[in-house]
Amino acid sequence: MTTLDVVRGTAARVADAVKIYGVGGTEVRALDHVTVEFPAGRFTAIMGPSGSGKSTLMHCAAGLDTLTAGSAWIGDAELGSLNDRRLTLLRRERIGFVFQAFNLVPTLTVRENITLPLDLAGAAPDQAWLESLIEVVGLGDRLQHRPSELSGGQQQRVAVARALAGRPQVVFADEPTGNLDSRTGTEVLGLLRRAVDEMGQAVVMVTHDPTAAGFADEALFLADGRLVDRMERPTAASVLDRMKAFERRRS
Amino acid sequence: MTSVTFRLSLRSLRAHKRRLAGTLLSILLGVSFLTGTMVLGDTLRANFDTLFADANAGTDVVVRSADVLDSPGSAGGVRAPVDVALADRLRTIPGVAAAEPSVQGAGQLVGSDGKPIGGQGPPTLAGNWLTDGRLNPYRLAEGRAPAAPGEVVINRGAAKTGGLYVGSTTVLRTPDPVPVTVVGIATFGANADGMGPSTFTAMTFTDAEHHLTPKGAGQASSIQVRAAGGISQRELADRIGPQLPSGVQAVTGAAATQESTQQLSGRFLSMFTTLLLVFAGIALLVATFTIHNTFAIVVAQRTRENALLRALGAVRGQVLGATLAEASAVGLLASLGGLLGGIGVAAGLKALFSTLGFALPTGGMVISAAAVLLPLLVGTLVAVGSALLPALRAGRTAPLAALREAGVDRAAQGRAGAVRVVLGGVLLAGGAPVAVLGATDGPSVLLTAGGALAVLAGTVVLGPVAAALAVRVLGAPLPGLRGVSGVLARRNAARNPRRTAATASALMIGVAVVTLFTVFGASIKATLDDTVSKSFAGDLAVTTASFGAGGSGISPKVADALAALPEVRQTVGLGRGVARIDGHGRTLDVTDPARLSGIVDLGRVDGSLDALGTDGLAVSRSEAQQNGWKLGQSVTVGFTDGASGPFTIRALYEGGTLAGDYLITRQAWAPHRVQDADTMVAVGLRGGVPLSVGKAAVTKALLPFGSPQVQDRAEYAKTAASGVDTMLSVVYALLALAVLIALLGIANTLTLAVHERTRELGLLRAVGQTRGQLRGMVRWESVLVAAFGTVGGLGLGAFLGWALVEASDSAGTGSFAIPPEQLVVVLLAGLLAGAVAGLRPAGRAARLDVLRAIATD
């Protein structure tokens, strides 16, 4: 695969994805025949109320969870056919993660946390890339600190740097601003935006915050496990309006 | 305690069953061992009691010498014989139905295969066949009683083991070989093969007198008396007492039985059970660490829950009470399980000792109330005591903690306080010099033991301070070996030093005791080896393969028979005897000192060994020094036959040699001896005779003497040390339990740590740590903790071993040896065990569901 393919092609996609939790009377259909593509070099936001299936979609697309039916792909790799080990290797080589909380390993320094996926793979980091990344996230003077010595915003910036360090095919961010105040949240979202604009990184973000969705190139709306709408170049205001409209329709 | 807190603790017990499984198991094992020890002690005591009671069942009064000669290091005491003619006088006393002289001595039968029967522990007895059917505890099962010289009745057990039948001819070693014909086979009581595992050969009274008493006629060990109907034992003994000559006493049969049991309990059994209790104590001590650690972690993990209780209005006492109630429930439950296990342990230990060669009498299990109540109490107290500190901490939980993020695994919590450093430092700085002082100056075992305890306590207190550093040093190669998973393993092991130290301390104590015994054993072996190589100038040693009360020694004629061989330059026999020297019982070596000096190197000799005569002694220099004796001084020697007289110290020699502390000539000893036997005959070959030729010649010459063992110097040194190996293997088996409990502790702590790091582990998996890497990470953490405990234990044990060896070596002739191979084995075993202990937690960690691990509530 050449860099060109990555830039122009599809970073990740799910086709006809179905995820069912429980059986019989307690059966919950978290995903109901969802088909969606996450293009390379684009920032996609997945929106939806609690229980809409947005987190499930992300977990399945990222290989953290398995689909009941349908298929999930990272680039040209179909995740359903991979065993746990190959899935793990694929995650560390081709996917970056940013979670809402508990993002860093407390016993490792900032620098060690950033290079963790590379170290796990036993791969030598690209020093030049690493330095520029550290400069972008603005943590050059904190590299030898432990996570417990950083603020929440700083911790999340380290997590973003870690997600980008291996230049993955796609970065999945699960409510990355959920535990942050609006100013530090904006900083983190700005970082993700720059990764897309300046590094051509594909980013998929799950959020219920319209302001966060305003940083994306496209917003997808999920409700009751179905893809119900999509919006190009969303803004915080337009997303909020759209969500209010859903609420009215539902009630 | 209110019912609410009680309900809460029960709920939490049920909810965290798995967390407390390790605690439960370690108490259970400790209590099992304690119960097992006590039950075994009770059982053995009862078994022996029955045995002796059966042996004396028909005897109402025993008439015997009142004087018992006893020395430290000799088993049981030696009594002077009584006059046989006394029996006739006793028969004239009204109320005496029967009075029969009894001769008892040592006699080992040779089986049909030419090998001696028994001799490994239980006594091999010989005596006269008591003609009064009620006085005699043996019953004829086959054949008839001995009537002519050379005829014997043997017990059924000996017959079975030796393949002997009525009509068989064999040899009885008294230790002079006596040709005998088996004319009868007897049972002990109605249907037992023998009196426990001992063997018994009964001859005619004349034969017994001839072979087993010093004068060869007119003497008996005791006179057994049976009372006429209607007269009690007490009455008869009181009636006989005044009629006896001075120095002879009459005791009731019941008293004699009790005496025998007590003698055994006092020596063998109490030493045996004390030893086992010490190991039970070590196991429980190790368990204390494990339990304390578990509760400390559980309380830390439950901070939020406890804080919520406090916020809702629970007072400190209620939170404290709930934790303690949980601990006592666990303790009680585990102790109950341990009680059941203990009965199994007792049976197992008995079997273990039998297979190792310490034959014990058979009989049912005896379980006393104390053996049930004490372990139950101890187990529960250990659980509650260990949980006390964590429970206090739980009680102190601030209500606000409910609102904070529960940072249970923060390194900051485990930072060693200044108090800890000072206390630990003082204990170490005070204990180590005391131990060294006790070892080198003095030496004093008590002083050393006190210092050793302080060092041990200091090490445990300082553990958390050392843990972080030690783990970092020991884990230094890990990052290179295992990459980032190695880095993580090392940091995880160091992240809570207090917890790591508490976990490792348990193993450290276990390993320290193992090391202590290993070093101690190796040093004893080195000392024995040294003794043999330094002082044994001969080429061959003739010994009997026996220990304990069994066997009968070597015939004193062997030394002369071998000296007559053309290959042999010189021989000397060494016998053992007990005498009272200036009022204290002592063990003497009976030999020909003039011949001894050519074969056994006695070092620098002051005075002359050649002229001891029949009224002279040679004494080791250290023994003389201790008693303040000088050359030419006179001491009083009292013999077993009641005679006593002044002996002059005519020579002083170097101590710590093959010869003991006292040497006496055979001529001086002969008039007073009971049974004449050598324990060893040293042989020097003529120059130019090859060892193999000499050995063959000696072995052939020994055939008529029942083929005792012939060994060259190296073999002899090895046999001398083999008892140490047997002892060590028993000790290792007992210590395995403590080490097992320590490993359970490591597994338990890690399982709890994995539980509380769930999110972190999930994150690692999400960003690409494979299951294998995760498993490796947890396993290596386990190995690191085990390495800390093992290395610490090795160091501590080696130091304490050195101190103890030096302290117990009052003569200054012992050697100290560190066996490198064995210690490397201990180290590797510790590391391997650490890896094994990490298996389950690592497996659990690897099975974590990534999604649940990273889910945000």
Side-chain angles (χ1 to χ4, degrees), chain B residues 43 47-48 51 196-197 350 360-364:
Chain B
T43 302
N47 291 168
F48 277 121
L51 208 59
K350 214 173 149 183
L360 301 168
T362 51

Side-chain angles (χ1 to χ4, degrees), chain A residues 48-115:
Chain A
S50 293
S52 61
K54 58 185 192 302
S55 285
T56 306
L57 176 61
M58 193 207 96
H59 291 151
C60 291
L64 291 172
D65 204 351
T66 51
L67 288 169
T68 310
S71 58
W73 303 72
I74 295 291
D76 53 359
E78 207 276 300
L79 303 184
S81 64
L82 301 179
N83 63 19
D84 178 76
R85 186 180 159 73
R86 309 213 87 180
L87 211 52
T88 304
L89 299 186
L90 177 124
R91 277 205 303 270
R92 80 180 175 207
E93 282 157 17
R94 290 163 72 173
I95 303 176
F97 283 104
V98 181
F99 297 108
Q100 179 177 353
F102 309 108
N103 259 319
L104 305 178
V105 178
T107 51
L108 297 179
T109 63
V110 166
R111 178 185 276 277
E112 285 166 335
N113 262 292
I114 293 174
T115 58

